[in-house]
Amino acid sequence: MSRKRRRTVTENKTKQAQNEGWTTLSWDNLTEWAGSRSVARGRAYQAQGRVADLAISDDGWLLASVTGGECYAVTVWSDPERKRGGDLYSRCTCPVGSDGCKHAVAVIAEYLKLLGEDAEVPAADPDDERWAMLPDQDNEADNDDFAAEDFETDSDEKDDYEEIHKPRGVRSSGTVRKPRQTSDEKIRKHIEAKGHEELAALVWSLTERFPELREEFRDRIALGEGDVDRLVMQARKELKRAASESGWRNNWTGEGHTPDYSRLKHRLERLLELGHPDAVVRLGSEIMALGMEQIGQSNDEGETAEALSECMPVIFQAVAASTLPPASKVLFVIDAHLRDEYGVMDNVQDAVLEMPVDRTAWSEVADLLAQRMKTPVKEGDPYHRRYQRDRISNWVIDALKKAGREDEVLAVCEHEARVTDSYERLVKLLVDRKRYNEAEHWAVEGIEKTAGKLPGIAFNLGKLMGEAADLRGQWKIVAMHTAWEFFERPSREKFNQLTTAAVKADCHDAVRDFALGFLETGVSPFFSLPHAGIRELEVRKDWPLPVPAYLLPLFRHAAASHTSAYPHYDVLIDMAIADQRHDDVLRWYGALRDFHKQQRGISSWMSGSVYADRVAEAVAESHPDRALEIYRQRVDDNLQRAHVSAYEAVASYLRKMRPVLQTLHREAEWSQAIADIRLRYRNRPRFMDILGKLDSMPILQQRQGRRDGVSDL
């Protein structure tokens, strides 16, 4: 054999080894490995040209750089012989690190694109620095694939496995280390090896080069000399700098600005460490005032609030260590929370509130806060004033309890209920104290007052009275409450709760008949039929349960808001699916579709994919032809839209049809459906890509077919 031919044969064998495992790869394989989201984002990265310097090793390991939030080194390889975890593996310097990140998907997509174009992929250099950047393959995630006892009995096999599968350029080691850890250790040893004078010269040169290091030494010297005022002045300067620009974020481009409070936090920590908590507390009030104003002016997704919140633990630690009297420390925490509208102070007050504070201090706090509530609230005052007063009263009540003044709490709750509509707190307190008659009195007043303007409060008051009836063993009242909730917001769960409660109230059959009639017709036993667009409260005479007086305002409000009566076929479908009554499932689904076709102007979302999917899945075994009919209709509906979401929906329904047709031994119908759609919509390349995932056609074959002008049929 000639030398030229031997070289060609050798190159072909190398190329065959490199391509092994990649040529049969389908999008389904990738989706199973990385997940649909990573596949979608990885394909987008590849299409945007973010994969650079792609190379391949002799045994088929891909190596590339992918630009994302940063530039990441990525390696991907295929190991068909490994039985656990699948065939594909990757390592990446991104935060995900191991198998299945979007950067790995982008590398695979780029490699298959080059293969489909018969483009030359350069060989990977064993000394390429990217190999060393990658994390070790033998990490904890991989070790989870093996039982601990296997390691104890088969240590040689484990060592062989690690040697075979470690990334190129990474030496075997008894411990798992990241490149950063190794680098830090080298730096530490380098510093320790230097003498005193040499080290001093090095530190001085670094201080001249880096302003941050110079500033650090200046702070340390100032603190050592007791120059606290200078550090406070520097902290104020840093606060003004951090708070001078509002945060913003452009979700389309990913660009934005987030204020940096890290240097301010650093200065606060320095002051606290050297015994100056009072200075930190004074600064804390200024930080919270400017920070809250800045958050209100920012246009981001909470990044500014998160940046500011990093300073809060230091401030509250300083409050706990300060010379403030105990009552003043507690009031500092309370005022901070009252000022906080963005959750910045959440979970940081424990440093103060968990301190031992005696009853005298809590009593002082309660009296000082009560003074703030002497300003009357008027009917026309804005909501935020009432809300703020309600928050203050909550702190007053908490302080009274901790001061041992429990007997004053009820009076505060009664007064504030009429001022801020905080009836829920009062009724709950009375129920907890088993003063049920008083609780009902206040519930009636609260429901009458809030049913129209604050229906959420009225609804919760009704629920509280239902809980009180349960505690008192008033089963007919309990059943009536359950009926009220069911007729107000019907669902399968509420139907079951109603029938269970009706059994205890000894009126199961009558209540169940009313509930089923309501679901089928929409006609409630508590409302008259609409006349001139208005429904009146009218309790049916044969309704078997008593209606408490406090529920009447709730029913009147519901009658005014529900101007029409519609059947609740969706609930009937849910109930039939749960009971496996498949004939009824199909009957109610048909009624649902017919009803929405007749009612123009009414949203028909329930007759769409949500209930179509559930119904078809429920009856697939008992009524396969009906399930197929529903799936075909959903396919036809989505084929009308030229959009990626519609293409994905079509693929989803086709995928669901396949096992149903297989059980009927009609697989040919599925293949024919795919072929018909491909022929009809062959001018939509994105759609063709998505369809290619259905029958697991190899990605390379799809690409070559489009390149050669061959139909994907």
Side-chain angles (χ1 to χ4, degrees):
M1 183 184 296
S2 67
R3 182 181 300 176
K4 180 177 180 181
R5 186 175 178 186
R6 283 199 302 270
R7 185 170 64 248
T8 301
V9 170
T10 301
E11 290 174 352
N12 288 339
K13 287 183 177 179
T14 300
K15 194 168 185 179
Q16 183 178 358
Q18 290 176 335
N19 294 343
E20 186 176 359
W22 302 112
T23 55
T24 58
L25 193 64
S26 71
W27 291 119
D28 271 354
N29 299 143
L30 279 182
T31 301
E32 184 178 353
W33 174 60
S36 58
R37 184 175 181 185
S38 290
V39 170
R41 298 181 74 180
R43 294 182 70 181
Y45 270 31
Q46 184 271 330
Q48 294 164 7
R50 297 187 181 216
V51 182
D53 300 325
L54 175 63
I56 186 168
S57 67
D58 289 344
D59 49 356
W61 287 48
L62 303 178
L63 179 67
S65 301
V66 180
T67 304
E70 300 176 12
C71 185
Y72 302 110
V74 189
T75 184
V76 192
W77 70 99
S78 176
D79 182 7
E81 295 183 1
R82 184 178 176 185
K83 296 181 180 179
R84 301 188 184 187
D87 296 343
L88 291 172
Y89 306 93
S90 68
R91 292 293 177 269
C92 181
T93 55
C94 75
V96 175
S98 60
D99 296 336
C101 70
K102 59 190 174 186
H103 310 105
V105 173
V107 171
I108 294 172
E110 178 68 12
Y111 178 63
L112 293 176
K113 171 179 174 290
L114 295 175
L115 282 186
E117 297 171 350
D118 286 336
E120 189 69 26
V121 179
D125 187 343
D127 296 325
D128 192 314
E129 62 180 7
R130 290 177 293 180
W131 292 123
M133 294 168 62
L134 292 161
D136 280 358
Q137 182 263 348
D138 53 334
N139 57 23
E140 293 180 1
D142 278 343
N143 289 347
D144 288 342
D145 289 341
F146 300 87
E149 59 267 27
D150 292 340
F151 284 168
E152 294 171 1
T153 57
D154 299 315
S155 58
D156 291 341
E157 182 179 342
K158 172 176 177 283
D159 292 339
D160 290 342
Y161 174 85
E162 292 175 347
E163 182 64 30
I164 293 170
H165 295 285
K166 68 179 184 295
R168 274 44 179 167
V170 179
R171 296 182 179 179
S172 299
S173 174
T175 59
V176 178
R177 298 190 180 186
K178 304 294 185 189
R180 169 69 181 273
Q181 293 174 309
T182 304
S183 176
D184 287 351
E185 185 176 344
K186 289 182 178 179
I187 293 172
R188 181 178 60 80
K189 290 181 178 179
H190 176 75
I191 293 172
E192 290 175 347
K194 292 185 177 295
H196 175 78
E197 293 183 1
E198 188 180 8
L199 187 59
L202 173 62
V203 172
W204 174 245
S205 66
L206 293 174
T207 304
E208 290 182 311
R209 290 173 57 191
F210 299 103
E212 295 84 357
L213 190 57
R214 174 186 290 270
E215 193 66 31
E216 176 71 17
F217 277 112
R218 291 179 65 183
D219 288 351
R220 288 176 176 270
I221 293 169
L223 286 170
E225 296 174 348
D227 190 0
V228 179
D229 291 340
R230 176 183 174 277
L231 291 181
V232 171
M233 180 186 68
Q234 290 293 332
R236 284 199 174 97
K237 181 179 178 181
E238 190 60 41
L239 170 61
K240 290 180 180 178
R241 182 200 62 78
S244 62
E245 297 182 7
S246 300
W248 61 276
R249 181 70 51 194
N250 186 324
N251 292 326
W252 294 102
T253 64
E255 298 175 329
H257 169 74
T258 300
D260 181 10
Y261 277 89
S262 60
R263 294 179 61 182
L264 175 60
K265 177 188 176 185
H266 174 73
R267 293 187 181 281
L268 296 177
E269 289 172 336
R270 285 283 180 264
L271 283 167
L272 184 59
E273 286 170 6
L274 280 101
H276 300 284
D278 289 349
V280 176
V281 173
R282 291 194 298 272
L283 287 167
S285 297
E286 301 174 31
I287 292 168
M288 286 186 282
L290 287 175
M292 292 300 164
E293 181 180 353
Q294 180 186 39
I295 294 171
Q297 296 173 351
S298 296
N299 183 21
D300 56 19
E301 296 182 348
E303 290 89 352
T304 300
E306 290 180 8
L308 177 65
S309 67
E310 294 179 1
C311 296
M312 295 302 114
V314 186
I315 294 171
F316 282 92
Q317 290 169 20
V319 172
S322 71
T323 60
L324 290 173
S328 297
K329 292 180 180 180
V330 173
L331 283 170
F332 186 98
V333 173
I334 293 172
D335 286 333
H337 275 266
L338 291 173
R339 179 184 294 168
D340 182 16
E341 298 179 4
Y342 308 101
V344 175
M345 315 293 175
D346 290 349
N347 304 318
V348 295
Q349 74 277 8
D350 291 347
V352 177
L353 296 183
E354 291 183 356
M355 293 176 58
V357 179
D358 60 29
R359 289 188 169 189
T360 303
W362 278 111
S363 187
E364 183 182 350
V365 169
D367 292 337
L368 289 170
L369 291 175
Q371 289 292 324
R372 302 184 189 182
M373 297 196 301
K374 287 189 174 181
T375 303
V377 176
K378 300 177 182 178
E379 187 65 29
D381 281 348
Y383 170 76
H384 69 85
R385 282 196 60 187
R386 292 172 176 268
Y387 172 69
Q388 195 73 344
R389 182 186 177 100
D390 199 42
R391 295 176 72 191
I392 294 173
S393 66
N394 280 330
W395 281 108
V396 170
I397 292 168
D398 190 46
L400 287 172
K401 291 178 180 178
K402 291 178 178 177
R405 295 161 60 181
E406 288 265 3
D407 55 332
E408 299 178 42
V409 170
L410 182 58
V412 174
C413 291
E414 289 179 344
H415 181 269
E416 293 302 306
R418 287 174 174 152
V419 174
T420 62
D421 296 320
S422 53
Y423 287 95
E424 291 177 68
R425 179 175 59 196
L426 172 58
V427 172
K428 188 177 187 307
L429 176 63
L430 290 168
V431 170
D432 289 343
R433 294 184 178 183
K434 298 183 179 181
R435 296 165 68 167
Y436 299 117
N437 291 334
E438 293 176 68
E440 184 171 342
H441 166 77
W442 283 101
V444 171
E445 178 181 316
I447 291 171
E448 285 279 6
K449 186 177 178 182
T450 61
K453 62 178 183 179
L454 298 167
I457 293 177
F459 182 85
N460 290 336
L461 287 171
K463 285 184 69 68
L464 282 171
M465 293 313 300
E467 294 168 8
D470 187 61
L471 291 172
R472 301 171 76 177
Q474 298 175 327
W475 306 127
K476 288 188 178 294
I477 301 298
V478 172
M480 183 61 229
H481 273 269
T482 311
W484 159 58
E485 293 190 36
F486 168 76
F487 288 109
E488 177 70 12
R489 300 171 186 174
S491 68
R492 181 177 68 86
E493 293 77 11
K494 284 186 168 54
F495 178 87
N496 292 336
Q497 292 168 7
L498 173 57
T499 54
T500 301
V503 169
K504 297 182 76 172
D506 198 24
C507 55
H508 172 270
D509 292 344
V511 170
R512 186 177 184 277
D513 289 343
F514 272 110
L516 289 175
F518 168 70
L519 293 176
E520 294 182 26
T521 65
V523 177
S524 165
F526 306 111
F527 306 137
S528 64
L529 290 172
H531 178 69
I534 300 175
R535 302 181 75 193
E536 297 291 342
L537 177 62
E538 183 179 302
V539 181
R540 287 271 297 270
K541 292 181 179 179
D542 51 347
W543 173 251
L545 295 170
V547 181
Y550 53 80
L551 285 182
L552 293 176
L554 293 170
F555 278 122
R556 291 193 193 99
H557 177 69
S561 59
H562 294 75
T563 57
S564 301
Y566 296 114
H568 297 276
Y569 295 125
D570 54 320
V571 179
L572 290 166
I573 292 172
D574 289 339
M575 292 166 58
I577 290 175
D579 296 338
Q580 297 186 357
R581 294 181 282 108
H582 297 158
D583 288 336
D584 286 338
V585 171
L586 292 169
R587 177 164 66 95
W588 294 126
Y589 177 66
L592 176 69
R593 291 182 62 86
D594 293 342
F595 176 76
H596 283 293
K597 288 178 182 178
Q598 296 168 3
Q599 301 293 323
R600 295 184 179 180
I602 297 176
S603 172
S604 61
W605 70 269
M606 286 188 297
S607 62
S609 61
V610 174
Y611 275 86
D613 289 357
R614 295 192 60 205
V615 169
E617 183 178 351
V619 304
E621 292 186 13
S622 60
H623 299 76
D625 285 321
R626 291 297 300 278
L628 290 170
E629 178 186 334
I630 293 172
Y631 287 143
R632 288 192 184 99
Q633 183 60 53
R634 296 304 300 150
V635 168
D636 292 341
D637 291 345
N638 282 281
L639 284 175
Q640 307 305 313
R641 298 187 300 124
H643 192 274
V644 174
S645 63
Y647 304 156
E648 294 284 3
V650 169
S652 173
Y653 289 115
L654 289 170
R655 191 175 288 111
K656 291 174 181 178
M657 290 171 61
R658 190 174 195 177
V660 180
L661 287 167
Q662 286 175 338
T663 61
L664 298 173
H665 305 290
R666 289 156 52 185
E667 297 94 329
E669 292 183 27
W670 188 84
S671 300
Q672 186 60 48
I674 298 287
D676 291 343
I677 293 173
R678 279 186 174 143
L679 181 62
R680 184 177 175 185
Y681 298 98
R682 60 185 178 278
N683 61 335
R684 299 182 186 179
R686 295 290 298 277
F687 196 8
M688 294 301 101
D689 280 344
I690 292 170
L691 288 178
K693 301 177 185 179
L694 285 175
D695 49 8
S696 300
M697 179 184 291
I699 301 170
L700 186 60
Q701 185 178 339
Q702 294 179 41
R703 294 188 180 281
Q704 289 174 334
R706 285 196 294 275
R707 183 198 66 182
D708 299 335
V710 178
S711 170
D712 284 338
L713 293 180

